[in-house]
Amino acid sequence: MLTAVVQFRQRLNGNKLLTYSHMTEHTKTDGLSAQAPAAATQDAETLSASQARVTGAVKIECNACPVLCQISPGRSGACDRYANQDGMLIRVDPVLVLNRTLKGVEPALVPFAPNASEEAWAGDLVHANDVFITGVGSSTTYPDYKPAPFIVGSQIDGVDMVTVVTEGIFSYCSLKVKIDTDRYLGPEQANVLCRGEVVGHVTTAEYGSQMLSLGGVHHLTGGSKKEGRITMEMMQALGNKEAAELSIEGGAQLVIQAGRAPIVNGVTEQRMRVGCGSAAIGIFAQQFFELADEVVVVDDHITGVLTEHQAGCCLNMRPSGISIRGRRSTPGRYFQVANPGTGWGGTDISDPLAIIEKWDSKRAWPGLRLLMTSTTGEHAAWFVLDQDLIPQQQEMPTAVQTVIDRIGENCEPSLTTVLFLGGAGGSLRAGVTDNPVLLTRAIKNALVNVTCGGAPAYVWPGGGITVMVDVLRMPDHSFGTVPTPAIVAPFEFSMRLEDFKNLGGHLAYVRPLDEVLRSGAWHADGAPTARQWVMQPTQNPWPLGQPPQLG
Ligand code: SF4
């Protein structure tokens, strides 16, 4: 019989207060929930017996992952995601439900099926157009032959839809971190360490940003146990929008957090550069014209020199006779003017004149006005050549300062961006269909919308289902861990019912939304305690928008 009251609060593990959600699996012999589809009953009873066994008088074995914790009553397993509540194995966190109807309302924890003693939620939860069950808190399909815990049928604009909802366990996953700064963080390929363990490396810098590749199967499984554990914890923290302290071999100390300014060697970064030195010359050439006779924009990658640059030539600027150190790429564009560092423009220099090799006495003239600036305008200095053609620093003219301020104004705030990259091409697919490659093909044919906690996921071309998602677009605390070690992440596959049938989906497990909300996962015997996450109007597209029909 369906258990209607499903919200439990109880102290577990000392002082930890846990809110129980749905009963994902259980030890009783009656197998499935009364709400389980008849066609599924036989399989599910068999599965139930192996999913959670009573291993002694009171302990339960959880096999939601290969660790197979033996959980005593009132205790949770090693990952804190499952617990033994009165002899039942339950998923500790509530299922997260997206609701787009309450625009402008702060996200709140809202129990869906509270105790009779608590005030019932009168929210508009059963309109399929406005409600989306996410994988956050949904429980997993492990061992993978099980259908996903939630396979939800709904009707959107007259079209029958199905969303397959699960939490995936990922050994193959990583974080790509973009750090908006010119500052040198460390050599490309250098190891990134967290609490003394190697957890990733510096990868190819992008335009105005330094990039890190963190986590991944090599660090999760290929090193020591400690390396795997610290890698996992670091990934969970960053995925859940928390801060992580990292150090780079031969480089900087970092504190990074998704959506926040990076802290490099204890200094909070402020500005992302307006462009490289050459781009800054091009953008501001006209504004420098007639205010200065020469402008040098110092940049670790491409330093720009106005009078030589095409922009200066187009303005008919008189050559200044300046010679810059480093390697000349094309007129007015120089590479390697100094070593990388945390000084001017991502170089190691603190005196900008250090990059000037000489002045051509036939071209330069006393009184020549020279502006030197970094790509963010954070460093800038004004010089005038004396009779011996030696630059003498003087106070910056107001009009020139205005252009420097304009450079600063055009710099965007320096931020850290964290993308989760995971391979859902493995056994996760068995939760959708008996013939997993058909799901892969359907995704590649754009018949399936893949989301992670309701956030849109970019699916990489090529084989498998390798997805990338911005953790800032996911609900808070979307990521969990299991000590194998691996990361737990929510996944949802939404498609037309017709396409679900065509890819051999687990049709017997499709249940209407209101039934899912009433009864919980198909292998549960209690409804979920749903946490509600309100979609803000400017956030993600609604996951149940119909995918385009190809061909
Ligand atoms: S680590 Fe978590 S999911 Fe794995 S067996 Fe233990 S309680 Fe279950």
Side-chain angles (χ1 to χ4, degrees):
M1 188 170 163
L2 177 66
T3 306
V5 178
V6 292
Q7 189 182 26
F8 299 90
R9 289 194 171 88
Q10 176 175 314
R11 285 189 187 281
L12 293 182
N13 297 340
N15 293 325
K16 194 165 184 185
L17 180 65
L18 299 176
T19 302
Y20 290 153
S21 57
H22 64 283
M23 302 171 185
T24 54
E25 295 150 1
H26 57 91
T27 60
K28 306 221 171 126
T29 52
D30 56 357
L32 272 181
S33 151
Q35 301 303 307
T41 301
Q42 191 177 350
D43 280 353
E45 282 175 347
T46 308
L47 295 172
S48 179
S50 68
Q51 283 161 0
R53 292 190 294 268
V54 176
T55 58
V58 287
K59 284 190 177 178
I60 296 176
E61 178 185 272
C62 170
N63 79 344
C65 89
V67 174
L68 302 177
C69 291
Q70 313 290 312
I71 308 176
S72 300
R75 311 289 291 188
S76 58
C79 65
D80 275 350
R81 295 166 59 242
Y82 291 85
N84 179 345
Q85 202 275 321
D86 293 338
M88 284 197 181
L89 186 69
I90 61 165
R91 178 72 174 86
V92 169
D93 306 295
V95 178
L96 194 72
V97 177
L98 301 188
N99 183 358
R100 65 170 171 175
T101 59
L102 302 174
K103 286 177 184 169
V105 177
E106 285 297 309
L109 299 182
V110 180
F112 166 66
N115 287 314
S117 59
E118 297 187 18
E119 190 181 338
W121 180 44
D124 189 18
L125 198 54
V126 292
H127 294 315
N129 280 326
D130 299 324
V131 170
F132 184 77
I133 308 279
T134 76
V136 182
S138 66
S139 82
T140 186
T141 57
Y142 194 86
D144 304 300
Y145 53 75
K146 290 186 289 188
F150 294 97
I151 302 182
V152 185
S154 59
Q155 207 176 59
I156 307 296
D157 300 331
V159 177
D160 289 325
M161 302 287 292
V162 169
T163 301
V164 181
V165 179
T166 190
E167 286 178 305
I169 300 176
F170 294 90
S171 301
Y172 293 89
C173 63
S174 66
L175 301 176
K176 303 302 173 208
V177 180
K178 174 173 164 285
I179 301 172
D180 303 333
T181 180
D182 255 3
R183 242 160 288 279
Y184 177 71
L185 302 184
E188 202 167 294
Q189 303 178 7
N191 284 332
V192 178
L193 290 90
C194 179
R195 287 183 271 154
E197 294 295 321
V198 179
V199 296
H201 63 274
V202 178
T203 187
T204 315
E206 300 298 344
Y207 198 69
S209 306
Q210 311 296 322
M211 305 289 292
L212 306 181
S213 180
L214 302 179
V217 69
H218 175 73
H219 297 293
L220 284 168
T221 70
S224 67
K225 203 169 173 179
K226 189 176 171 205
E227 177 179 331
R229 179 174 53 80
I230 289 177
T231 298
M232 177 188 76
E233 290 170 0
M234 175 275 305
M235 291 181 71
Q236 183 188 24
L238 285 175
N240 285 340
K241 310 170 197 172
E242 295 161 7
E245 283 186 44
L246 305 172
S247 60
I248 296 173
E249 276 182 358
Q253 301 285 325
L254 299 176
V255 179
I256 54 172
Q257 184 171 7
R260 301 279 181 91
I263 302 172
V264 181
N265 293 332
V267 178
T268 303
E269 289 294 293
Q270 303 293 334
R271 298 178 188 175
M272 179 181 183
R273 71 180 185 179
V274 67
C276 68
S278 171
I281 287 284
I283 295 167
F284 295 101
Q286 213 143 23
Q287 296 175 52
F288 291 135
F289 185 55
E290 292 186 341
L291 293 180
D293 299 311
E294 184 61 281
V295 178
V296 177
V297 181
V298 182
D299 176 15
D300 175 39
H301 302 131
I302 308 172
T303 289
V305 179
L306 178 58
T307 61
E308 275 188 40
H309 193 278
Q310 184 69 15
C313 294
C314 289
L315 293 168
N316 292 318
M317 289 190 75
R318 177 180 167 186
S320 69
I322 195 170
S323 279
I324 297 290
R325 295 186 196 282
R327 183 156 68 83
R328 189 174 189 249
S329 161
T330 53
R333 299 170 72 253
Y334 290 83
F335 301 160
Q336 300 156 19
V337 298
N339 293 316
T342 54
W344 282 54
T347 70
D348 63 346
I349 62 166
S350 53
D351 173 11
L353 298 179
I355 69 166
I356 299 177
E357 197 164 66
K358 61 179 182 183
W359 293 90
D360 179 352
S361 58
K362 294 199 181 88
R363 293 188 163 187
W365 63 96
L368 183 151
R369 299 163 301 167
L370 168 68
L371 172 67
M372 300 195 78
T373 179
S374 67
T375 47
T376 58
E378 285 167 307
H379 294 101
W382 179 254
F383 302 91
V384 176
L385 295 196
D386 65 14
Q387 292 302 319
D388 298 322
L389 302 182
I390 296 174
Q392 301 296 339
Q393 187 162 2
Q394 295 190 6
E395 193 178 335
M396 183 90 68
T398 308
V400 178
Q401 184 62 51
T402 303
V403 183
I404 296 297
D405 293 344
R406 176 73 58 82
I407 292 176
E409 183 187 336
N410 276 271
C411 294
E412 294 173 74
S414 176
L415 288 178
T416 302
T417 305
V418 177
L419 299 187
F420 172 75
L421 182 54
S427 50
L428 188 70
R429 296 174 297 173
V432 182
T433 167
D434 289 331
N435 197 359
V437 73
L438 295 183
L439 175 64
T440 310
R441 288 178 191 154
I443 290 172
K444 293 295 156 63
N445 286 329
L447 298 174
V448 179
N449 189 29
V450 184
T451 51
C452 295
Y458 172 75
V459 181
W460 280 62
I465 306 170
T466 303
V467 305
M468 199 158 66
V469 59
D470 178 357
V471 303
L472 278 183
R473 300 182 76 163
M474 298 174 72
D476 293 347
H477 308 297
S478 285
F479 293 93
T481 62
V482 289
T484 50
I487 294 289
V488 179
F491 263 78
E492 305 95 26
F493 301 103
S494 299
M495 66 203 91
R496 293 177 174 88
L497 176 61
E498 199 56 33
D499 295 323
F500 187 66
K501 281 182 194 162
N502 291 339
L503 60 80
H506 300 302
L507 281 173
Y509 292 82
V510 178
R511 293 178 304 146
L513 179 66
D514 56 350
E515 185 187 313
V516 164
L517 291 168
R518 234 182 12 251
S519 59
W522 63 262
H523 46 55
D525 62 357
T529 297
R531 239 186 329 144
Q532 184 190 33
W533 193 58
V534 180
M535 296 283 286
Q536 302 296 336
T538 54
Q539 285 185 318
N540 303 330
W542 190 240
L544 284 173
Q546 288 179 35
Q549 191 83 55
L550 294 186

